[in-house]
Amino acid sequence: MPALDAVLVEKIATAESIRRLRAPYITEREGETYVLRDNKDYVSFSCNDYLGLSHHQLVVDRAMEALWRYGAGAGGSRLITGNHPLYSELEAALADYKDTEAALVFGSGYLANLGVVQAVMGKGDLIVADRLIHACLLDGAQLSGAKMLRFAHNDVSEAAQLLEEHRSQYKNCLLITETVFSMDGDVAPIAQLGELALQHDAWLMTDDAHGLGLLKTKYPEGLPTIQMGTLSKTLGSYGGYVCGSKALITFLQSQARPLVYSTALPPASVAAAIAALRVIETEPELTMMPLKKARQFTQALGLPKATSAIVPLILETEERALSAAADLLAEGFLVLAIRPPTVPVGTARLRFAFSALHEDDDIARLANVIRNASWFKETR
Ligand SMILES: *Cc1c(COP(=O)(O)O)cnc(C)c1O
């Protein structure tokens, strides 16, 4: 066996032995909430397409028009020939929606976080971040060379303590959190963290991947913010973005490496995001539905009231989370088990993501199955 494979096979065996080996499963999405796996239909509670916009008629039509008009690919990076006219339309719409001076679209949310944190921060700077921020923010922080300190999840007083102790020894300081936490579904205390940033001469960066369109975040007056998000979840398309001041965007256009050195998004993805944003702005009732559905679920099970479209059910061990997911699959529900390193060790879980288009009956049936499961009773 070649040396490379020998090394990898051993690593694979290790991951498998602790139930951390993962592989993509062929999954065909059929409309907004149904998926097909191995020729069987499931109701999916694992898609981040919270409003079903990936299959919305207007969104798909706009993507098709862009495909015919501009072709399948962008043909170059944005700084060369890839900056097709749909980009400025989307960026203007995002800045308007977020009430910022400007916006910049990236290849994905991952690339946006990676590029922004790396470009804005550097050696001699300080990043103070929530313990549970997304992997791509951590990667960006590492690439930046800035010092990083982390506070316990949503713990404003620990964040304050870190800033009091360390802020003065560094040049620039960036406070990073998510608006809605991707694996926990809880909401960050943005107003308090914002005040803290103001007090300590720091900037605030927020990741709104799971909040965009569903939850509006208010920021303290006069606080410099970097508001990141994705086109790939509620907007049902693909890509990432950053909203902020004109200076921030001008700087990032030439300094964010994932933007400079990677091909622009396909025009159809940008067109879809423009249309989806329009749907969100014109159908406020639709945007309230995912939270409403999540609350039907938490109420049916006597769980703490949902604070977003995401509801975690912590089952602690990998084994229990996997067997719970298998039980639900057997009942026709696709709910993926989320395991370390995506979540901290000892907090393996089922993560339920609710869509505006989930049927009430399906939610009731799901809750019923869970209520009677041994793994649910064991952890209550
Ligand atoms: C999904 C996600 C991202 C990455 O966005 P993509 O567009 O999927 O690359 C970033 N941050 C958080 C919190 C996410 O959940």
Side-chain angles (χ1 to χ4, degrees):
M1 193 184 284
L4 171 64
D5 284 4
V7 170
L8 298 183
V9 162
E10 199 184 314
K11 289 182 192 238
I12 290 168
T14 306
E16 197 160 28
S17 72
I18 54 169
R19 311 207 69 174
R20 299 253 180 106
L21 194 66
R22 300 158 71 172
Y25 207 98
I26 297 175
T27 307
E28 191 178 326
R29 293 188 62 217
E30 304 179 296
E32 294 94 347
T33 56
Y34 283 84
V35 297
L36 195 67
R37 279 190 168 190
D38 296 326
N39 276 323
K40 280 198 224 69
D41 273 318
Y42 298 96
V43 188
S44 169
F45 287 91
S46 284
C47 299
N48 294 319
D49 187 12
Y50 298 111
L51 302 178
L53 295 182
S54 69
H55 286 68
H56 191 283
Q57 190 66 51
L58 183 73
V59 174
V60 174
D61 282 351
R62 286 293 116 83
M64 287 291 277
E65 284 165 21
L67 200 53
W68 286 117
R69 178 158 180 196
Y70 298 107
S77 76
R78 293 191 63 184
L79 296 180
I80 309 298
T81 58
N83 197 41
H84 48 79
L86 294 168
Y87 265 116
S88 45
E89 192 182 336
L90 176 57
E91 286 169 349
L94 284 166
D96 184 55
Y97 184 72
K98 288 282 183 174
D99 206 13
T100 56
E101 284 176 13
L104 186 64
V105 170
F106 282 77
S108 72
Y110 191 107
L111 292 173
N113 274 337
L114 198 71
V116 171
V117 179
Q118 183 188 13
V120 170
M121 301 307 280
K123 268 203 165 48
D125 292 339
L126 175 66
I127 294 172
V128 175
D130 189 285
R131 174 69 61 192
L132 296 186
I133 57 168
H134 196 268
C136 53
L137 287 162
L138 300 178
D139 293 352
Q142 194 145 43
L143 284 170
S144 77
K147 169 76 179 172
M148 177 148 78
L149 300 171
R150 298 169 80 180
F151 54 91
H153 179 48
N154 278 347
D155 188 338
V156 178
S157 58
E158 195 185 357
Q161 196 185 321
L162 290 176
L163 286 164
E164 269 150 37
E165 248 172 73
H166 302 276
R167 170 68 187 96
S168 62
Q169 295 135 56
Y170 296 89
K171 206 157 117 214
N172 303 312
C173 179
L174 184 65
L175 203 55
I176 307 182
T177 191
E178 296 181 11
T179 54
V180 174
F181 279 82
S182 61
M183 295 299 143
D184 292 77
D186 54 355
V187 174
I190 298 294
Q192 289 160 278
L193 290 172
E195 288 301 334
L196 209 56
L198 277 175
Q199 279 166 29
H200 291 273
D201 189 24
W203 311 318
L204 179 68
M205 176 165 180
T206 52
D207 180 334
D208 198 32
H210 297 276
L212 176 70
L214 307 180
L215 172 111
K216 275 247 176 188
T217 304
K218 277 197 69 136
Y219 296 88
E221 201 76 36
L223 173 70
T225 59
I226 301 177
Q227 302 178 35
M228 172 274 170
T230 174
L231 312 177
S232 326
K233 286 163 183 161
T234 302
L235 293 184
S237 180
Y238 191 70
Y241 70 84
V242 170
C243 289
S245 67
K246 264 208 168 81
L248 173 73
I249 300 311
T250 304
F251 170 76
L252 291 174
Q253 280 173 343
S254 66
Q255 301 303 311
R257 295 169 62 86
L259 186 122
V260 177
Y261 296 109
S262 186
T263 301
L265 282 170
S269 301
V270 181
I274 294 169
L277 200 54
R278 214 161 282 151
V279 173
I280 284 174
E281 286 176 307
T282 51
E283 296 185 39
E285 328 76 50
L286 182 69
T287 65
M288 317 223 291
M289 292 306 288
L291 177 61
K292 222 171 123 193
K293 302 278 177 181
R295 286 186 170 163
Q296 284 174 20
F297 176 74
T298 51
Q299 185 173 12
L301 283 174
L303 297 172
K305 195 170 171 179
T307 46
S308 72
I310 302 162
V311 178
L313 194 57
I314 313 278
L315 296 170
E316 295 163 11
T317 64
E318 281 87 339
E319 284 75 14
R320 203 187 276 136
L322 286 169
S323 96
D327 287 354
L328 293 184
L329 203 64
E331 297 289 339
F333 301 109
L334 182 73
V335 185
L336 273 284
I338 310 285
R339 292 171 272 165
T342 303
V343 292
V345 172
T347 71
R349 68 194 65 188
L350 292 176
R351 172 187 181 271
F352 300 86
F354 289 88
S355 156
L357 300 162
H358 275 130
E359 303 279 351
D360 292 348
D361 277 357
D362 285 334
I363 295 173
R365 222 158 42 81
L366 173 68
N368 223 10
V369 171
I370 294 170
R371 191 179 305 113
N372 294 313
S374 58
W375 41 263
F376 182 67
K377 294 174 191 159
E378 279 165 25
T379 50
R380 286 310 97 192

